[in-house]
């Protein structure tokens, strides 16, 4: 079977065509890669240092090197619960990561309450907490018996001020919700990040009892300020070796990569390209091997075209 067994580009309907099985990391609901991740040398020591010191762990490395998988494995092994995710963009702010206040939603609800009252109905209660949602960082800082796991992904894409803004909150492990303090609401049940669970906040003050396990990832695209780096445990993902990639391929695909043959040549070429400075990711290699060794495997020139399609340098268009 070849790659044109599904879509052929001839306009002929084939609604009964069975599509191929997805690769293990593209099944939904998504399966965590924590069980197959193999930490490179020095990473376990860095993780344990961050846990012991109650400091964030900053992991720098190229795309697809497993930076964001580390925290999933740590959370699974130590029972820290679902990983909270804060994906950084140039528009990300500390305020949104702590909590969000839906002011417009509250104004709209207030108008509806007034209309009900004027019609003689029950207007209900104006509760500011109903319009507050803790962000990923705010949720991670809630009091808990076990630390929460928080992934701050691609911190180097942040506005220049964000790392500095983070320092005070991460040092003190606390923050205040201005809207609750302003209205002197002593106890408010506030919704947590990406959940219907509500947590009681006293006097607008959130203070962690266990500092969260925080992993920050960086592609090294922007230099981070020294005061920020001083408060992190730092680890740089090493360049992949052929032995490491063979383990990764076996873990994800169950393929035994020998010392020679087409698959070994592809692995060796990947390692060579990374070592020479090209930007190619492990998941590109895994996807390529999944197709080349699956039921729709390709041969000859078709195989070479598929490799060229999937293994493009990420620094280009």
């Amino acid at each position: 079977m070849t790659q044109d067994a599904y879509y052929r580009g001839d306009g002929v309907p084939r609604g009964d065509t069975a599509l191929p099985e997805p690769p293990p990391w593209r099944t939904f609901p998504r399966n965590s890669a924590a069980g197959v991740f193999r930490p490179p040398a020095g990473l376990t020591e860095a993780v344990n240092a961050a846990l012991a010191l109650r400091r964030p762990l900053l992991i720098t490395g190229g795309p697809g090197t497993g930076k964001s998988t580390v925290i999933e494995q740590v959370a699974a092994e130590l029972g820290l619960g679902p990983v909270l995710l804060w994906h950084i963009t140039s528009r990300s702010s500390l305020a949104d990561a702590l909590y969000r206040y839906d002011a417009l939603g509250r104004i709209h609800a207030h108008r509806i309450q007034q209309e009900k009252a004027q019609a003689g109905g029950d207007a209900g209660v104006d509760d500011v907490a109903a319009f507050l949602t803790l962000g990923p960082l705010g949720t991670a800082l809630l009091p808990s018996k076990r630390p929460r796991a928080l992934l701050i992904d691609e911190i180097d894409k942040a506005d220049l001020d964000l790392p500095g803004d983070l320092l005070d909150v991460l040092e003190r492990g606390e923050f205040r919700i201005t809207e609750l303090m302003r209205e002197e609401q002593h106890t408010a049940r506030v919704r947590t990040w990406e959940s219907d669970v509500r947590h009681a906040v006293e006097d607008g003050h959130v203070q962690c009892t266990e500092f969260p396990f925080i992993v920050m990832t960086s592609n090294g695209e922007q230099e981070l300020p020294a005061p920020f780096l001083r408060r992190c445990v730092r680890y740089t993902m090493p360049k992949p070796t052929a032995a490491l990639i063979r383990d990764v391929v076996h873990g994800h695909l169950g393929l035994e990569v020998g010392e020679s043959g087409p698959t070994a040549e592809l692995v060796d070429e990947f390692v060579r390209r990374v070592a020479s400075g090209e930007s190619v990711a492990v998941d590109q290699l895994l996807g390529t091997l999944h197709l080349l060794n699956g039921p729709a495997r390709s041969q000859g020139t078709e195989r070479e075209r598929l490799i060229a399609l999937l293994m493009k340098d990420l620094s280009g268009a």
Side-chain angles (χ1 to χ4, degrees), residues 94-115:
L94 176 61
D96 283 343
L98 293 175
Y99 71 92
R100 298 169 187 186
Y101 172 51
D102 184 7
L104 292 178
R106 190 181 187 192
I107 291 171
H108 179 66
H110 183 64
R111 287 175 179 170
I112 293 176
Q113 289 174 336
Q114 287 181 321
E115 291 172 0

Side-chain angles (χ1 to χ4, degrees), residues 20-298:
E21 289 294 317
W25 58 92
R26 292 298 296 168
T27 57
F28 298 93
R30 178 180 170 273
N31 292 321
S32 172
V36 296
F37 177 72
R38 298 294 179 266
L43 181 55
T44 54
E45 289 85 352
V47 168
N48 287 323
L51 287 166
L53 296 172
R54 300 331 194 247
R55 290 292 191 185
L57 173 62
L58 174 62
I59 303 179
T60 303
T65 53
K67 300 188 299 296
S68 58
T69 309
V70 175
I71 193 169
E72 293 185 16
Q73 191 173 69
V74 175
E77 286 194 16
L78 301 184
L80 305 184
V83 175
L84 299 162
L85 172 61
W86 179 17
H87 185 73
I88 299 295
T89 70
S90 59
R91 300 181 300 277
S92 297
S93 69
L94 176 61
D96 283 343
L98 293 175
Y99 71 92
R100 298 169 187 186
Y101 172 51
D102 184 7
L104 292 178
R106 190 181 187 192
I107 291 171
H108 179 66
H110 183 64
R111 287 175 179 170
I112 293 176
Q113 289 174 336
Q114 287 181 321
E115 291 172 0
K116 286 183 178 179
Q118 290 171 357
D122 182 8
V125 178
D126 178 25
D127 181 12
V128 64
F131 303 95
L132 290 167
T133 302
L134 294 175
L137 177 56
T139 300
L141 290 173
L142 286 170
S144 58
K145 293 181 179 179
R146 299 282 287 171
R148 290 300 306 268
L150 170 66
L151 173 63
I152 304 179
D153 200 25
E154 300 189 332
I155 185 68
D156 54 327
K157 285 184 167 58
D159 177 82
L160 292 175
D161 292 331
L162 182 58
D165 294 341
L166 269 172
L167 286 180
D168 185 54
V169 172
L170 295 183
E171 282 297 293
R172 295 186 294 111
E174 64 177 345
F175 67 97
R176 298 185 182 277
I177 301 177
T178 305
E179 289 73 15
L180 295 178
M181 297 175 63
R182 182 189 303 130
E183 301 193 19
E184 298 182 348
Q185 190 160 339
H186 298 299
T187 301
R189 299 194 64 80
V190 180
R191 183 179 290 108
T192 57
W193 180 246
E194 294 186 339
S195 169
D196 290 329
V197 175
R198 292 180 177 271
H199 192 282
V201 175
E202 304 292 337
D203 298 317
H205 182 219
V206 175
Q207 170 73 70
C208 72
T209 50
E210 287 289 338
F211 187 77
F213 175 61
I214 299 175
V215 170
M216 296 182 283
T217 69
S218 169
N219 292 323
E221 296 178 3
Q222 175 180 294
E223 197 170 312
L224 297 168
F228 179 78
L229 295 176
R230 180 170 61 83
R231 291 168 172 83
C232 300
V233 175
R234 290 177 283 162
Y235 179 83
T236 300
M237 297 294 276
K239 297 286 187 182
T241 63
L244 176 62
I245 296 301
R246 287 187 176 93
D247 286 343
V248 171
V249 171
H250 182 264
H252 284 276
L253 299 176
L255 288 175
E256 293 287 351
V257 182
E259 296 297 325
S260 61
T263 300
E265 291 173 4
L266 199 56
V267 168
D268 291 341
E269 175 66 9
F270 172 80
V271 172
R272 184 199 65 76
R273 291 177 65 184
V274 173
S276 68
E278 287 191 58
S279 180
V280 283
V282 174
D283 57 357
Q284 290 176 271
L285 177 65
L286 291 174
T288 303
L289 292 176
H290 173 76
L291 290 183
L292 293 180
N293 291 276
R297 63 186 64 193
S298 305

Side-chain angles (χ1 to χ4, degrees), residues 313-317:
D313 191 318
L314 298 175
S315 60

